[in-house]
Amino acid sequence: MTRKTLTLILFATFAGAAAAQDSVDINGDGVLTLFEIQAVWPEVSTDGFMFLDRDGDGLLDPEEFEAARQGGHLAAAN
């Protein structure tokens, strides 16, 4: 695999993750609240959200959101 191909794959992966988060981020502040997560994934409980919120600030930042997606905790948003 060439360096250019790898770069394009990585860009597409991160761009897709950002687009997924943007589609869930109702107020556009760059982080996700429990309310925003439950609007798309109503099955996520408060305890489940707290598990995904690794730094305990009550918000999912882009890294926490992507970790949740990669870990299979959040299915692809429609």
Side-chain angles (χ1 to χ4, degrees):
M1 184 176 303
T2 68
R3 184 178 183 144
K4 184 177 180 180
T5 302
L6 182 58
T7 301
L8 290 173
I9 291 169
L10 289 172
F11 177 77
T13 300
F14 289 114
Q21 180 173 348
D22 288 346
S23 69
V24 179
D25 187 8
I26 296 168
N27 64 0
D29 65 356
V31 292
L32 302 174
T33 64
L34 174 61
F35 173 79
E36 289 170 320
I37 290 291
Q38 287 180 334
V40 178
W41 296 279
E43 69 279 4
V44 175
S45 67
T46 301
D47 288 340
F49 183 85
M50 290 170 53
F51 171 78
L52 300 175
D53 178 20
R54 294 178 177 183
D55 63 8
D57 67 354
L59 303 166
L60 294 187
D61 61 36
E63 292 79 21
E64 291 167 329
F65 177 73
E66 184 57 21
R69 290 187 57 215
Q70 293 294 322
H73 301 288
L74 301 173
N78 294 328

